Amino acid sequence: MCTIRICTGAPGYVLRSCIRDNELFLRAVNASHPCHLKFTAEYSLDVGPESTGGLLQTHLLHGGLAAPSTVFFGIVLCSMAPHALKKRKLAHQTDENPSFAGSLPESPSSESNFDKGDPASKSQRASSQPGPVQKTGPHQALQTSGEKYGSGLFQMQIEELLSEVRLNYEKYTSELEQALRKIKEIIERIPSREAAPILEAERHLRQQYQIAVPFPTPPPKDDAQYTLGYEKPANINVVGSYARRTAIKAEDPMVIDMVVTMPSILFQEKDYLNYRYFYKRAFYIACIAAGIQEAGDCKFSLQFSYQNDCQLQPVLLISFSRSKVQGYFGAVISTNVVTVAPKNSLSLSKAIVRILLAAEQETFPADKTFPWKNCLRARTDTSTIQKGTLSPLYNATLRAECSTGSYAKLLQGALTRCTGFKDACILGTIWLRQRGFGTGLRRGGFGAFELATSLALLLRGGGPKGRPVLSIGYSSYQLFKALLQFFATRDLICEPSLLFSDSMNARFIEGLNMPLLFDGSVGLNILYKMTPWSYKMLCYEAHTTVSTLNGSAIERFRPSFITKVNEPALLFDILIRVEIPGTWEPTSEEVNPSDRVLDFCSKLNTVLATALGDRVVLICPWPACLKPWPIIDSDRYPPAKDASTVLVGIVVNSTQVVRAVDRGPPAEERKAASAFRRFWGEKAELRRFKDGSILESLIWSEQSGQKSILQQIIGFVAGRHFGKGIAEGIEFVGDAFDQMLPIHYPQASSSIAMYQPLLSAYEELEKQIRGLEGLPLQIRKISASCADLRYASDIPFIPNRGSLPIHPMDIIVQFEGSARWPDDLPAIQRTKIALLLKLGELLEVSVSGVSTQLGLENEGQKLLNNAFLNVAYLDLAVAFRLRIHHDRELTLLERELKDNSADFRSREQAALAVSAYKRSFVQAPAHTQALRSLCTKLPLLSPTMRLMKRWCNSHLLSTHIDEELIELLTIRTFVQPHPWQAPGSLRTGFLRTLVSIAKWDWRFEPLVVDFNGAMTAAEIGAIAVRFEAWRKIDPAMNRTVMFAASNLDPDGITWTQHSPSKLVATRLTSLAKAACRVVKDRGLDIDVGTLFKHSLADYDFVIKLNPVFYGERVDRAVEQSSFKNLRGPVIKDVSLIGYDPVQLFVDELKRVYGNAVAFFCNSSEPDCVAGLWSPFTSARTWKVNLSYSSAPTTTDPTGEEEMGARVAINHTAMLNDMARLGGDMVVRIHQRH
């Protein structure tokens, strides 16, 4: 017997255990504090009378970096008795019986719980012989799982996900099975109908059942020479994910597919031509609808819909409402059963049965419906048949209906042969749902069926010399990842994959312009429903996910399976709405011969792809799905109403999208040049370039008053190829985000150009300082340390002659080391002052138009920097603030900090000085340099950071959150963009950053930003350990609330050590969540300005400020600047550089009243200061030395009068003091009552 005690070091943990093959698995669960903790274990081992000794091995199976709510222990108990069992290796377990998270029950269980469904373990146990203890254990199991999954944590996350989404068929589907059997019985009882002419057969259904036959477009002619009839089905089967048991729990109703196979006697030899099969099919489904409607023992809700959004395939939807469940099957199913159905169970009210039709496999020859054949032949007046264009979609739809049974057998065989196949299908289904893919034509044409069939086929072939691409020994995750790798690396449009079809001639498939994964054994292209743009989107998503899964140092699970990727506002950089002309008619049978919307999307995609070229990565028309309609309808045919507009999403190539000149083919290539001119018309022109080449070319305007280059191109080609009306009706969604920037460029990615005057002035200053003669020490390094010089200032200052900025640009100057430097901190500060004075004198003498002024800061604090030098260039209208960095200071400060003889206050001041030193002289210059380099690689990073800062300012958070923290939050969106690629527009960058802030749980997760993508798992692990240490030191988060680390700053507290507070951090998260909710609710029609509007009603009081004191910060007389909407802080007097009265007022308020009031202000447009009273200032028992003004209160919180016994904060007195402190700056104070 073995007794184990686990000490977690934290209260509230519950241990759950189970035994499996002599292995005890323990799970410590604490929902209230789900953070990654260090665990210790205490063990007591009691050896039974039959044993002579014991061995206990432990291993912590949690090796990841995230913050799980469950921590797993694998504890192997190996008895030393002579009859000890041989330990089974964990590495040999399959996904059907996982050994970690997915297999741990929610309550203690015996060994028999794990034996169920695992005959291998039983037989092994029965045949085991006494022998020595095996050395294989959890360590080897973890090594094996690490090779398959990358980490043990990732494996546990996947298995936990699978266990959560699987349906418990045995427990929850009994009533659904009865419903399916009842529907089958009803269909089997429907009597046969004699064949009749089309008009007669249709009239009979309408008159007797009021059902309009859902014929496809074009409808059959009334005088057609064939007849319509109904015969009893050849067979009826339930197919799909429900039958394969790969369906998952979801909020949407569960769709169960029931296939009714039509007998071949209904069809003639030539019925595969010209819609004849589909006309008979439509009549057959209408007869089934009439038969179910006529059945008196059941009351269903019946609707027609289109299978796969294909108007050739009408199907019947059978739904159940909760109020009718009791009457469905008499006393067999009661209403109580439905009412108490567990959450996410398959009750009738959550299910929809879809009646599909199929034909027997031998009904039509397979070679008649190959993709390169034409089955739609137009008749002329002379009754001769003319050959038209190819009809691959029509052919494949017909062949798919004849192959239902074949693929049911194929998938069942894959389930039997490959143990990981089922869970791989579930993982794939989750992945597809999160990315918006479905089986329907308008949802990409790639759903759960296509994914499962692709897996099954690649398990049989598709590789070199007909070998399988996938191995049946792969785990579920390996199968899933290998399939994504297949689509990410193969272009099935240019290089089709022909499986089991060695005799096929490649010339037949030339010019199809569609992805081809052709199953030669059946004669069907599995990807026949995919359009060129949906296939490219599938490959795009597969490539993005594979790159995420291959990254070992980043979060893989959440972006791959949890994040909802297909939100248009987050996925696409450019969104446009295009109105479909009412007169548009399909011009090709290759996409959908009866779908005008998809035909328009195909033409639009072709035109845009040709026009935009390498400027874009992806173009994806996004038509709305077709909706069901009642079976009883007054119209003869299904409703013709469809979407009048289509949404087109574009993912841009940020490095090419702003290109102003497009080069076409040379004039010598006459055919290519002629095609170029036909496409572009008068826009194309022949030009000679500097390299001597003469090429067809296009020139686009870059002027600030014009539209962006992308908008110019789209507008031009839409007008040329679709008409002026369509071009004028194109709506670019999300452009309003660009307008929210104080200075708006038509090319948002070119906005860093506005900083060039400042960078040029900085480079000139650096050159002049290095050229000075007479300095006592040589200059080692000059570094920029401000937002203006890293393209990140909220409102960039545009130099204008005669005006100087209020806020100068910070510069760090480092002199060479020398023995002449003193070795005392106060003396070092005095030396800095002397060096700055000398530097200012030399600059004024050697450079004309320069004015310098020495300033003091942190007076009275000997450990902090005490001096700076303001340098103003009057001609350039720029100002700098120089500080001196001496690396010896850090050594002396750390010596003060480690001095055990010093008192607590001295050591605390030393700690603050060390933090300030690292922030000002080490981290700030490094952050500026790295960010400036990053902005040149990612042009949209700069405007996104500026917009995020404006958002924070508009919500009065700028005085509480360092701008470097906002920059880090934005940078993460660009350098760690998974599950998307880096943003290609200001809208996607801004909204994705808001989403990441809303989802960041800063209580239990550190923010880790990898600037260059080179961080290792060990480095990230060290940051996680440091974060845990801070949480243990400061569990109440009184000092450090947010932990923001990077490869430049692994400490993680440089920008967050003292701010924001818990109040502000919670406010930031709440505002981000509210903004995301508004975007989700209002969709693409959102008023962007609402995201930046802030209500003052939540504050206890608001101090209105006099515009005279902040109005001078707005330069309304910038006559020489081309930016007329510029609102930049300027001054005329050099002595006022750095003087900001509003900021000084807010700082003074915080210093005096910070313990009792939280102040909020917009640092860019400070028209007011808002405040919230601290909850600690409520009525309390009186005591001396309160930190705020108080007055006696007559009542306590319970309402009982107690004169003089309690005091409360004196709001009136404190507000009057604030008004006196502000003087003429304060106009009035509004107090909430």
Side-chain angles (χ1 to χ4, degrees):
M1 181 181 67
C2 178
T3 304
I4 299 179
R5 289 196 310 274
I6 302 293
C7 300
T8 64
Y13 274 84
V14 178
L15 286 181
R16 294 172 178 168
S17 63
C18 58
I19 301 175
R20 179 178 183 174
D21 290 345
N22 207 32
E23 301 170 14
L24 175 63
F25 286 88
L26 298 180
R27 181 164 60 174
V29 182
N30 187 347
S32 63
H33 189 66
C35 65
H36 181 182
L37 298 175
K38 292 291 184 180
F39 282 81
T40 60
E42 297 180 2
Y43 313 96
S44 62
L45 185 63
D46 299 330
V47 181
E50 298 179 357
S51 303
T52 58
L55 175 64
L56 180 64
Q57 297 177 346
T58 65
H59 191 83
L60 181 61
L61 301 185
H62 178 264
L65 304 174
S69 59
T70 303
V71 181
F72 296 91
F73 290 87
I75 303 178
V76 182
L77 305 182
C78 301
S79 175
M80 300 301 291
H83 299 285
L85 297 177
K86 182 178 180 180
K87 181 185 176 299
R88 181 170 57 85
K89 296 181 181 179
L90 297 179
H92 293 167
Q93 295 171 349
T94 66
D95 289 314
E96 295 295 319
N97 199 5
S99 58
F100 296 131
S103 63
L104 292 174
E106 290 300 317
S107 59
S109 61
S110 63
E111 187 175 5
S112 61
N113 292 100
F114 289 89
D115 293 339
K116 190 176 299 183
D118 192 0
S121 61
K122 293 182 181 179
S123 61
Q124 184 175 4
R125 222 175 6 260
S127 62
S128 61
Q129 300 294 331
V133 176
Q134 299 296 315
K135 295 183 180 181
T136 57
H139 296 274
Q140 181 174 346
L142 284 175
Q143 182 179 0
T144 305
S145 67
E147 294 173 356
K148 291 183 178 181
Y149 292 86
S151 71
L153 173 63
F154 186 61
Q155 179 185 6
M156 288 189 289
Q157 289 173 325
I158 288 181
E159 293 180 352
E160 188 71 19
L161 173 66
L162 290 172
S163 65
E164 286 293 327
V165 301
R166 287 193 190 101
L167 290 173
N168 191 333
Y169 288 85
E170 289 78 9
K171 187 174 182 180
Y172 299 137
T173 62
S174 59
E175 62 176 354
L176 189 55
E177 294 289 346
Q178 296 180 50
L180 294 174
R181 284 193 293 269
K182 188 65 177 179
I183 294 172
K184 180 181 179 183
E185 293 174 3
I186 295 173
I187 297 176
E188 289 175 340
R189 293 201 307 262
I190 298 175
S192 301
R193 293 178 184 271
E194 293 185 3
I198 293 177
L199 193 59
E200 180 182 342
E202 184 186 11
R203 184 187 303 116
H204 177 71
L205 280 180
R206 176 176 291 277
Q207 291 178 353
Q208 186 173 356
Y209 302 101
Q210 291 79 46
I211 293 178
V213 180
F215 288 126
T217 304
K221 295 182 179 180
D222 294 340
D223 58 351
Q225 298 303 311
Y226 51 87
T227 58
L228 304 179
Y230 179 86
E231 295 292 339
K232 291 190 176 183
N235 55 67
I236 302 175
N237 294 306
V238 176
V239 298
S241 58
Y242 176 80
R244 296 191 301 271
R245 300 205 167 193
T246 58
I248 63 174
K249 300 175 184 176
E251 295 179 358
D252 301 332
M254 177 71 183
V255 178
I256 299 110
D257 290 335
M258 178 178 287
V259 171
V260 178
T261 303
M262 297 177 289
S264 58
I265 193 175
L266 293 174
F267 304 103
Q268 300 174 354
E269 181 182 359
K270 296 293 185 179
D271 278 353
Y272 66 90
L273 294 173
N274 296 336
Y275 302 100
R276 286 169 54 174
Y277 167 82
F278 293 104
Y279 294 149
K280 295 183 178 183
R281 181 194 187 281
F283 181 77
Y284 199 93
I285 195 69
C287 291
I288 293 178
I292 296 178
Q293 178 183 336
E294 190 180 21
D297 52 348
C298 295
K299 298 179 181 179
F300 302 105
S301 298
L302 303 179
Q303 287 180 304
F304 282 134
S305 182
Y306 287 123
Q307 180 181 348
N308 306 326
D309 291 326
C310 180
Q311 299 181 24
L312 299 174
Q313 297 174 285
V315 295
L316 183 64
L317 301 183
I318 304 177
S319 58
F320 314 86
S321 61
R322 186 178 299 271
S323 60
K324 296 180 181 180
V325 168
Q326 188 173 7
Y328 283 147
F329 311 105
V332 177
I333 300 178
S334 65
T335 307
N336 293 334
V337 176
V338 179
T339 304
V340 299
K343 185 179 180 181
N344 293 327
S345 67
L346 280 181
S347 62
L348 288 179
S349 61
K350 296 182 179 180
I352 294 177
V353 179
R354 188 169 60 161
I355 305 298
L356 312 180
L357 296 185
E360 296 181 277
Q361 186 169 359
E362 300 80 10
T363 303
F364 304 110
D367 60 346
K368 299 296 185 182
T369 57
F370 283 160
W372 47 88
K373 293 296 184 70
N374 175 36
C375 293
L376 296 175
R377 303 173 186 176
R379 292 185 179 272
T380 64
D381 296 337
T382 58
S383 298
T384 59
I385 297 178
Q386 295 180 342
K387 184 178 180 180
T389 57
L390 300 181
S391 55
L393 178 64
Y394 176 95
N395 300 1
T397 303
L398 180 55
R399 177 49 46 195
E401 298 233 330
C402 298
S403 309
T404 304
S406 300
Y407 284 111
K409 295 177 182 178
L410 172 70
L411 297 177
Q412 186 59 40
L415 284 170
T416 304
R417 293 172 56 243
C418 181
T419 55
F421 182 79
K422 177 189 285 188
D423 285 344
C425 292
I426 294 177
L427 285 176
T429 301
I430 296 171
W431 184 84
L432 290 173
R433 286 180 63 90
Q434 296 301 87
R435 283 149 185 82
F437 281 99
T439 304
L441 284 164
R442 300 192 180 191
R443 293 188 61 194
F446 193 87
F449 170 77
E450 287 75 20
L451 182 137
T453 305
S454 300
L455 279 174
L457 290 175
L458 295 178
L459 284 169
R460 296 178 55 200
K465 297 181 180 180
R467 297 173 183 172
V469 174
L470 308 177
S471 170
I472 60 174
Y474 281 178
S475 68
S476 59
Y477 169 68
Q478 288 175 314
L479 286 173
F480 165 75
K481 184 179 177 182
L483 182 64
L484 294 188
Q485 187 78 34
F486 176 81
F487 286 112
T489 57
R490 295 282 295 271
D491 186 353
L492 297 179
I493 297 179
C494 299
E495 300 178 3
S497 179
L498 306 178
L499 285 71
F500 322 118
S501 53
D502 297 335
S503 61
M504 293 291 178
N505 195 329
R507 67 182 179 86
F508 289 133
I509 60 179
E510 292 180 358
L512 282 178
N513 191 30
M514 62 185 302
L516 206 63
L517 182 61
F518 189 78
D519 180 9
S521 63
V522 176
L524 177 66
N525 174 25
I526 305 301
L527 308 180
Y528 75 93
K529 294 189 294 292
M530 298 199 76
T531 57
W533 62 86
S534 65
Y535 173 71
K536 289 181 180 179
M537 185 173 181
L538 176 68
C539 296
Y540 169 84
E541 295 289 0
H543 180 271
T544 303
T545 303
V546 168
S547 64
T548 303
L549 295 174
N550 288 337
S552 59
I554 60 176
E555 169 66 24
R556 297 183 294 162
F557 177 73
R558 189 181 300 172
S560 300
F561 301 105
I562 304 301
T563 303
K564 191 70 172 176
V565 179
N566 67 318
E567 294 290 343
L570 300 176
L571 174 59
F572 298 110
D573 300 317
I574 304 295
L575 285 169
I576 61 175
R577 282 197 185 97
V578 184
E579 186 174 354
I580 304 175
T583 57
W584 185 271
E585 293 297 335
T587 57
S588 171
E589 289 82 15
E590 295 188 13
V591 179
N592 192 337
S594 57
D595 193 332
R596 57 186 294 272
V597 175
L598 280 182
D599 184 82
F600 179 82
C601 291
S602 178
K603 177 68 179 298
L604 182 63
N605 175 73
T606 302
V607 171
L608 291 180
T610 304
L612 298 177
D614 63 349
R615 296 177 187 272
V616 299
V617 178
L618 183 68
I619 301 174
C620 184
W622 198 287
C625 295
L626 296 173
K627 296 181 180 180
W629 69 95
I631 63 171
I632 300 178
D633 195 272
S634 58
D635 297 332
R636 180 179 181 187
Y637 304 112
K641 296 179 181 179
D642 202 349
S644 59
T645 60
V646 62
L647 184 69
V648 181
I650 301 174
V651 179
V652 305
N653 181 352
S654 301
T655 59
Q656 299 293 333
V657 70
V658 296
R659 186 178 65 240
V661 179
D662 287 330
R663 296 191 178 191
E668 293 80 8
E669 299 178 6
R670 295 186 178 181
K671 183 179 292 186
S674 176
F676 187 86
R677 285 191 170 273
R678 280 198 308 271
F679 184 85
W680 290 105
E682 69 279 2
K683 189 68 177 178
E685 56 183 72
L686 198 63
R687 297 177 67 94
R688 180 189 294 273
F689 292 89
K690 293 182 178 180
D691 58 359
S693 60
I694 302 176
L695 304 174
E696 297 286 350
S697 59
L698 304 167
I699 308 297
W700 306 100
S701 174
E702 291 184 289
Q703 296 181 4
S704 59
Q706 299 289 333
K707 297 179 180 179
S708 68
I709 292 177
L710 203 69
Q711 292 178 355
Q712 295 177 47
I713 296 175
I714 294 175
F716 177 82
V717 296
R720 175 167 177 78
H721 294 277
F722 293 94
K724 185 177 180 181
I726 293 181
E728 293 176 350
I730 291 179
E731 177 187 358
F732 287 85
V733 181
D735 275 1
F737 285 91
D738 296 341
Q739 306 294 335
M740 297 306 298
L741 288 175
I743 301 178
H744 168 60
Y745 274 77
Q747 318 296 338
S749 57
S750 303
S751 61
I752 61 175
M754 73 179 72
Y755 292 95
Q756 191 56 46
L758 302 181
L759 291 174
S760 300
Y762 163 68
E763 294 171 357
E764 184 67 21
L765 172 66
E766 181 180 8
K767 183 188 302 184
Q768 292 170 355
I769 292 178
R770 291 187 181 277
L772 292 177
E773 296 181 359
L775 288 174
L777 295 174
Q778 292 296 320
I779 300 292
R780 176 191 294 179
K781 187 177 181 181
I782 299 177
S783 305
S785 179
C786 69
D788 280 310
L789 296 179
R790 56 177 181 257
Y791 312 113
S793 54
D794 176 23
I795 302 179
F797 178 79
I798 305 300
N800 181 63
R801 186 179 299 274
S803 300
L804 291 172
I806 286 182
H807 300 292
M809 292 176 281
D810 292 327
I811 304 296
I812 304 300
V813 179
Q814 185 176 8
F815 289 90
E816 65 178 356
S818 172
R820 290 183 291 175
W821 277 99
D823 203 32
D824 179 69
L825 288 172
I828 289 176
Q829 300 303 325
R830 300 297 182 269
T831 304
K832 286 184 179 182
I833 294 176
L835 289 173
L836 289 174
L837 286 172
K838 185 64 175 178
L839 183 62
E841 292 175 2
L842 294 176
L843 279 174
E844 289 184 340
V845 170
S846 59
V847 182
S848 61
V850 172
S851 175
T852 63
Q853 187 178 36
L854 183 71
L856 299 178
E857 60 184 356
N858 303 317
E859 299 178 57
Q861 301 185 36
K862 63 179 183 178
L863 302 182
L864 298 178
N865 185 75
N866 291 152
F868 58 83
L869 180 70
N870 287 335
V871 179
Y873 285 78
L874 301 180
D875 294 338
L876 299 177
V878 294
F880 299 92
R881 175 164 289 182
L882 277 58
R883 293 182 177 86
I884 294 178
H885 171 210
H886 181 44
D887 50 11
R888 178 63 178 168
E889 283 184 88
L890 181 59
T891 303
L892 298 176
L893 289 173
E894 290 177 343
R895 184 183 299 172
E896 292 275 345
L897 182 62
K898 297 177 182 179
D899 186 5
N900 294 328
S901 62
D903 57 7
F904 174 78
R905 182 175 181 82
S906 299
R907 296 177 64 182
E908 184 179 18
Q909 291 178 349
L912 294 176
V914 169
S915 175
Y917 176 90
K918 291 182 177 180
R919 174 191 174 99
S920 301
F921 299 117
V922 179
Q923 293 300 337
H927 178 81
T928 299
Q929 182 178 0
L931 186 51
R932 186 165 58 182
S933 175
L934 202 60
C935 284
T936 58
K937 299 177 183 177
L938 302 169
L940 284 162
L941 177 58
S942 172
T944 305
M945 288 188 297
R946 292 169 52 210
L947 190 60
M948 279 302 305
K949 290 183 179 180
R950 178 165 188 185
W951 181 79
C952 289
N953 284 337
S954 65
H955 293 290
L956 310 185
L957 299 177
S958 55
T959 57
H960 292 271
I961 301 177
D962 289 350
E963 59 181 353
E964 290 84 357
L965 176 58
I966 302 174
E967 292 164 7
L968 288 177
L969 290 168
T970 311
I971 292 169
R972 182 178 63 170
T973 303
F974 283 81
V975 300
Q976 297 160 219
H978 305 289
W980 303 282
Q981 292 189 3
S985 69
L986 182 58
R987 170 180 49 79
T988 51
F990 175 72
L991 292 181
R992 289 181 194 176
T993 304
L994 286 182
V995 170
S996 66
I997 294 174
K999 292 183 177 181
W1000 178 30
D1001 191 350
W1002 38 264
R1003 299 171 300 172
F1004 307 118
E1005 298 177 15
L1007 174 70
V1008 182
V1009 179
D1010 188 1
F1011 277 79
N1012 52 19
M1015 292 186 72
T1016 63
E1019 292 173 338
I1020 297 179
I1023 291 175
V1025 171
R1026 193 173 293 110
F1027 169 73
E1028 295 167 10
W1030 269 104
R1031 285 295 181 257
K1032 290 180 180 179
I1033 295 173
D1034 183 21
M1037 293 180 285
N1038 293 322
R1039 293 180 57 187
T1040 301
V1041 177
M1042 291 182 168
F1043 190 92
S1046 68
N1047 58 319
L1048 304 176
D1049 176 29
D1051 291 341
I1053 59 171
T1054 300
W1055 318 113
T1056 61
Q1057 185 168 5
H1058 303 292
S1059 64
S1061 62
K1062 285 187 290 186
L1063 170 67
V1064 176
T1066 304
R1067 179 73 170 172
L1068 175 66
T1069 303
S1070 300
L1071 288 170
K1073 289 181 178 179
C1076 294
R1077 188 163 52 250
V1078 169
V1079 173
K1080 182 177 180 180
D1081 294 342
R1082 301 184 184 180
L1084 303 177
D1085 299 321
I1086 182 176
D1087 180 7
V1088 179
T1090 59
L1091 300 178
F1092 294 83
K1093 291 181 180 178
H1094 187 70
S1095 174
L1096 299 177
D1098 296 334
Y1099 299 97
D1100 293 324
F1101 62 88
V1102 177
I1103 305 175
K1104 291 292 184 179
L1105 303 182
N1106 192 335
V1108 173
F1109 291 86
Y1110 67 86
E1112 293 183 358
R1113 305 181 61 182
V1114 180
D1115 184 15
R1116 304 183 184 276
V1118 186
E1119 300 294 342
Q1120 300 177 4
S1121 175
S1122 60
F1123 305 104
K1124 301 302 181 182
N1125 60 342
L1126 176 63
R1127 298 171 60 85
V1130 296
I1131 55 175
K1132 306 294 184 181
D1133 189 354
V1134 176
S1135 63
L1136 295 179
I1137 293 178
Y1139 175 68
D1140 186 349
V1142 175
Q1143 186 60 47
L1144 292 174
F1145 175 57
V1146 174
D1147 292 340
E1148 187 71 9
L1149 290 177
K1150 289 181 178 180
R1151 186 185 66 81
V1152 177
Y1153 306 106
N1155 293 333
V1157 186
F1159 294 97
F1160 300 86
C1161 180
N1162 183 340
S1163 59
S1164 297
E1165 300 177 6
D1167 59 338
C1168 68
V1169 177
L1172 288 174
W1173 302 112
S1174 171
F1176 297 106
T1177 61
S1178 58
R1180 55 170 298 166
T1181 305
W1182 178 86
K1183 71 173 185 178
V1184 297
N1185 295 329
L1186 285 176
S1187 59
Y1188 52 85
S1189 174
S1190 59
T1193 180
T1194 57
T1195 59
D1196 62 8
T1198 62
E1200 299 178 0
E1201 293 190 2
E1202 194 173 351
M1203 294 294 295
R1206 304 179 66 83
V1207 295
I1209 188 171
N1210 193 338
H1211 294 160
T1212 303
M1214 291 185 66
L1215 292 177
N1216 290 335
D1217 289 344
M1218 294 177 193
R1220 283 192 294 271
L1221 187 63
D1224 295 337
M1225 190 183 304
V1226 177
V1227 176
R1228 59 185 177 275
I1229 298 179
H1230 298 284
Q1231 185 175 3
R1232 184 176 63 179
H1233 298 286

